């Protein structure tokens, strides 16, 4: 008989364990523990006192700061849940289980909506996990015999098990939070993670992957066919080949391709991955897919801008060359007219001189060809050519130009001072165009100094690196600039020189802008002007000598 009731008790406790273990939240575990303990013991009321958010209290910390505590009571209380000081001391600090008779004034439930009778029995036990008190389970009954020693030991078991569940819900919460961060991070970075089983061809993928591939969330795991149906058809053969090669060599996988959504929109993605053994022993490819659509669009915009600039630069050079070209074409044209007239004259003679006429006609052809060559050269100049971006050591590029202009500098009686940063500053750019900027600025500086006889003619060219940029200064002691004109200098066709075209500075500014930098001018305090341009340094491109 006794055995049977014990079996019943154990079954009841096992069931209570099960119920508590199903709870996923901290509060859920507390409420389930209270409910099961009340129903098992037959006590009337109770409460669970917990440190907030599962924060564990030091073993000896009996103070249980109110702002860090949470209460869950079985019955609504008008006042609050407050453990009598002596119970608090014994249970919290010494981790003892307390059973005692008390008057209803000694209840931990202050002003319960249904007041208890005069005398009550209290059971209070600590919730201990790994020797630390994380809270208290409190029960009270109107019957003296409610908390038998058997009942107490069963409830203690329940309480200690609940303490473990508190710990695991805390871990679960932490895990869920981490997972939320990861999902958010992937969303922001437009980056999804995946694991693809090379045998079953099924994939498990993060939420962001589902978005990138426009796959419904209830498809899990995702069959390869579903991913495949989203690949831009032209890109599929290359992707399949890259995958097959990576699978057979077990080498790291990296490939860019396009994805088509069901609504027709197209995404550019970059996939990377590496192989390892999955939990089932199958070879799996684990990796990351990044949505690079925006980056691609930005790259295209930059390429377009650079191409447009290249064209503008060439058209401008064309303008500058126009003068000399007119001369180049005029010469053969005059020659053609003269030879044709001579030819007519030889033919008009009596008798005609076909030999001489033929020679004149041949000269017409020859000079016509020269004119055609000049025009062909012009056309190739005007054609949009792409800028060539390479690593440029900016100081070397500047020094080359200064060397090229050495004779002009000397002839203008200008003293040159250079103060170039000694580290090898590398920028990514079109070397020739950047040199054209320096050439233009130095030429302008020389012109500005020739235009004045005041003071010494001093040209200072310096460069220095700061915060990922290099700034290059070209300072002169020339005529300087009126502050009202400061911005107009950069307008196309603005010139103060009789033979000037006024295109140099506007082109320089465009070239620098396309390289991600800025060009401006400042008046010097004494004489002249200083032109400064900045360029972004290639990351980790500064090599000290
Ligand atoms: P251009 O040299 O053909 O006139 P730019 O665009 O290079 O065309 O220059 C425009 C104008 O800016 C020049 O005509 C000149 O008046 C002014 N300028 C340029 N550089 C300087 C300088 N270093 N000092 C004073 N004025 C300058």
């Amino acid at each position: 008989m006794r055995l049977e009731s014990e079996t019943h008790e154990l079954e009841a406790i096992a069931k209570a364990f099960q119920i508590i273990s199903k709870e996923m939240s901290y509060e859920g575990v507390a409420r389930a523990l209270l409910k099961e303990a009340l129903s098992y013991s037959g006590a009337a009321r109770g409460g669970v006192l917990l440190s907030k958010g599962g924060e564990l209290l030091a073993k000896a910390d009996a103070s249980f700061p109110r702002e860090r505590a949470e209460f869950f009571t079985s019955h609504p209380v008008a006042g609050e849940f407050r453990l009598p000081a002596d119970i608090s001391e014994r249970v919290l600090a010494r981790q003892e289980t307390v059973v005692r008779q008390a008057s209803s004034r000694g209840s931990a439930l202050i002003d319960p909506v249904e007041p208890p009778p005069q005398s009550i029995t209290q059971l209070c036990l600590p919730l201990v996990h790994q020797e630390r008190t994380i809270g208290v389970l409190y029960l009270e009954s109107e019957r003296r015999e409610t908390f038998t020693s058997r009942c107490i030991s069963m409830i203690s078991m329940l309480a200690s098990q609940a303490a473990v569940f508190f710990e695991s819900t805390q871990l679960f919460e932490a895990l869920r939070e981490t997972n939320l961060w990861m999902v958010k991070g992937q969303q922001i970075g437009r980056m999804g993670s995946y694991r693809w089983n090379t045998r079953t061809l099924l994939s498990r993928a993060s939420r962001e992957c589902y978005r990138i591939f426009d796959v419904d969330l209830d498809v899990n795991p995702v069959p390869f066919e579903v991913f495949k149906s989203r690949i831009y058809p032209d890109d599929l053969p290359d992707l399949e080949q890259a995958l097959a090669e990576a699978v057979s060599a077990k080498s790291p996988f990296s490939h860019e391709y396009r994805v088509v959504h069901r609504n027709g929109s197209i995404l550019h993605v970059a996939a990377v991955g590496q192989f390892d053994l999955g939990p089932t022993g199958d070879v799996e490819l684990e990796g990351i897919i990044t949505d690079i659509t925006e980056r691609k669009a930005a790259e295209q915009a930059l390429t377009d801008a650079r191409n447009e600039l290249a064209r503008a630069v060439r058209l401008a050079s064309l303008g500058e060359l126009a003068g000399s070209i007119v001369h180049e074409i005029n010469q053969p044209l005059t020659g053609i007219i003269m030879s044709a007239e001579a030819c007519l004259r030889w033919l008009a003679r009596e008798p005609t001189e076909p030999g001489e006429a033929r020679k004149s006609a041949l000269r017409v052809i020859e000079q016509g060809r020269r004119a055609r060559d000049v025009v062909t050269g012009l056309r190739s100049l005007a054609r949009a050519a792409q800028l060539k971006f390479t690593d440029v050591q900016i100081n070397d590029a500047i020094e080359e130009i200064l060397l090229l202009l050495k004779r002009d500098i000397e002839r203008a009686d200008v003293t040159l001072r250079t103060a170039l940063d000694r580290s090898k500053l590398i920028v990514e750019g079109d070397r020739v165009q950047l040199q054209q900027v320096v050439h233009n600025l130095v030429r302008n500086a020389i012109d500005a100094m020739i235009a004045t006889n005041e003071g010494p003619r001093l040209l200072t060219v310096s460069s220095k690196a700061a915060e990922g940029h290099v700034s290059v200064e070209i300072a002169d002691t020339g005529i300087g600039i009126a502050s009202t004109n400061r911005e107009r200098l950069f307008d196309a066709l603005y010139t103060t020189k009789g033979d000037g075209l006024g295109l140099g500075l506007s082109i320089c500014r465009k070239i620098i802008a396309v390289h991600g930098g800025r060009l401006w001018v400042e008046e010097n305090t004494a004489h002249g002007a200083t032109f400064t341009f900045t360029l972004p340094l290639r990351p980790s491109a500064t090599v000290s000598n």
Side-chain angles (χ1 to χ4, degrees), residues 332-367:
L333 282 181
T334 315
I336 286 170
I337 293 166
M338 278 165 55
S339 303
E341 282 172 352
C343 180
L344 286 178
R345 274 199 305 276
W346 291 121
L347 290 174
R349 284 218 176 161
E350 262 321 316
T352 54
E353 300 247 9
E356 291 301 323
R358 193 166 176 276
K359 277 188 210 157
S360 298
L362 282 174
R363 272 201 298 278
V364 170
I365 294 174
E366 185 193 316
Q367 289 168 82

Side-chain angles (χ1 to χ4, degrees), residues 440 444-445 448 476 479-481 489 494-497 500-505 529 531:
N440 229 313
N444 277 348
D476 62 56
I479 46 171
I481 4 162
L489 305 190
Y494 175 83
T495 180
T496 55
K497 301 172 193 169
L501 275 167
L503 284 169
L505 285 178
F531 282 79

Side-chain angles (χ1 to χ4, degrees), residues 319-333:
E320 254 174 83
L321 286 175
S324 53
I325 283 159
V326 166
H327 175 72
E328 290 278 320
I329 293 188
N330 250 345
Q331 257 188 339
L333 282 181

